[in-house]
């Protein structure tokens, strides 16, 4: 099990990113967030973390955020923009490069659950985003880092349930609370069984 005290979250102001940040703080980690717009980080959360303002496509800014950390969480997205992009995969490559440079080993990354699907079954409107998430996954696999790829289904705003289901190599269900997803993005880093795996998760079905 990795000894993690300090971690940095890339993409900390999206819905999932904020939940990751809240989870990291609640779990007692010395947490840094790398964001483009600090105004989107609400109080009192902002006063409980170290804020690094920058662009994930700027390798020098990414290097500065990664140096001195024990682990990394990547939850970058496109804010519902489904047009073609390489931002997420190129940003992920910058993060992985910085991790190698500063000997930071553990990383979790949030990817589309469509990576579990056969491509011809994915709705056409999501293919552009899936392409870049697939490039993110390939970057993780090609790296020398200890990675966990987390592939959630539809993310809801429901309260945390705490007893969600996880599965290696498949999506076990249709929905997951953003709070439970944020919690898992952080806690999966300390479980060696998750390393170099694609992990699906979902809400536990109601009895």
């Amino acid at each position: 099990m990795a000894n993690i005290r300090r971690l940095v979250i890339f993409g900390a102001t999206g819905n999932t990113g904020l939940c990751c940040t809240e989870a990291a703080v609640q779990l007692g980690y010395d947490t840094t967030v790398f964001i483009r717009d600090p105004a989107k980080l609400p109080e009192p959360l902002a006063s409980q973390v170290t804020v690094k303002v920058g662009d994930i496509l700027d390798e020098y800014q990414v290097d500065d955020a990664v140096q001195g950390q024990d682990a990394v969480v990547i939850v970058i997205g496109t804010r519902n923009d489904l047009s073609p992009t390489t931002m997420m995969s190129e940003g992920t490559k910058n993060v992985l490069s910085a991790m190698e440079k500063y000997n930071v080993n553990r990383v979790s990354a949030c990817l589309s659950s469509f990576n579990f699907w056969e491509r011809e079954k994915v709705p056409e409107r999501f293919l552009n985003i899936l392409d870049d998430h697939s490039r993110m996954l390939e970057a993780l696999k090609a790296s020398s880092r200890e990675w966990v790829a987390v592939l959630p289904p539809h993310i809801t705003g429901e309260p945390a349930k705490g007893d969600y289901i996880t599965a290696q190599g498949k999506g076990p269900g249709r929905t997951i609370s953003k709070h439970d997803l944020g919690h898992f993005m952080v806690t999966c880093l300390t479980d060696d069984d998750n390393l170099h795996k694609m992990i699906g998760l979902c809400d536990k079905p109601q009895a």
Side-chain angles (χ1 to χ4, degrees):
M1 180 180 293
N3 180 22
I4 297 173
R5 295 184 296 111
R6 301 177 300 273
L7 60 81
V8 57
I9 301 172
F10 287 87
T13 55
N15 284 333
T16 301
L18 285 172
C19 292
C20 291
T21 305
E22 290 170 354
V25 169
Q26 290 168 3
L27 291 165
Y29 289 105
D30 182 350
T31 305
T32 297
V33 297
F34 184 90
I35 55 180
R36 300 182 74 168
D37 184 358
K40 294 182 178 179
L41 189 65
E43 288 289 357
L45 199 57
S47 61
Q48 299 178 74
V49 300
T50 300
V51 178
K52 298 276 188 178
V53 179
D55 186 337
I56 200 168
L57 297 179
D58 186 316
E59 61 183 282
Y60 299 105
Q61 294 175 341
V62 172
D63 281 2
D64 179 63
V66 169
Q67 186 174 15
Q69 304 294 336
D70 299 317
V72 174
V73 176
I74 302 174
V75 281
I76 51 180
T78 60
R79 299 285 184 179
N80 297 319
D81 182 353
L82 300 180
S83 58
T85 183
T86 59
M87 179 274 292
M88 296 180 292
S89 57
E90 292 303 313
T92 296
K93 291 175 185 177
N94 283 344
V95 172
L96 293 169
S97 176
M99 290 178 67
E100 185 168 0
K101 183 182 298 184
Y102 297 112
N103 197 31
V104 180
N105 283 320
R106 295 277 167 118
V107 55
S108 65
C110 188
L111 306 175
S112 170
S113 62
F114 287 133
N115 279 289
F116 285 136
W117 292 34
E118 296 176 11
R119 183 178 174 85
E120 57 269 20
K121 295 182 180 179
V122 176
E124 185 175 359
R125 67 184 182 279
F126 296 119
L127 289 176
N128 291 325
I129 296 300
L130 174 59
D131 285 343
D132 208 34
H133 276 227
S134 297
R135 288 187 287 267
M136 289 176 68
L137 180 59
E138 290 308 309
L140 291 170
K141 290 180 175 181
S143 77
S144 59
R145 303 301 90 189
E146 297 176 338
W147 56 268
V148 184
V150 182
L151 282 64
H154 176 67
I155 303 168
T156 74
E158 293 296 314
K161 298 178 174 62
D163 57 351
Y164 50 86
I165 297 170
T166 64
Q168 294 183 359
K170 62 181 181 180
R174 293 179 176 273
T175 62
I176 184 69
S177 160
K178 64 181 182 180
H179 303 284
D180 286 330
L181 174 57
H183 180 268
F184 184 73
M185 290 296 302
V186 175
T187 58
C188 72
L189 291 165
T190 55
D191 187 344
D192 291 353
D193 288 342
N194 293 320
L195 297 181
H196 306 117
K197 301 288 197 317
M198 296 166 61
I199 309 292
L201 73 170
C202 69
D203 297 321
K204 187 173 183 179
Q206 297 296 315

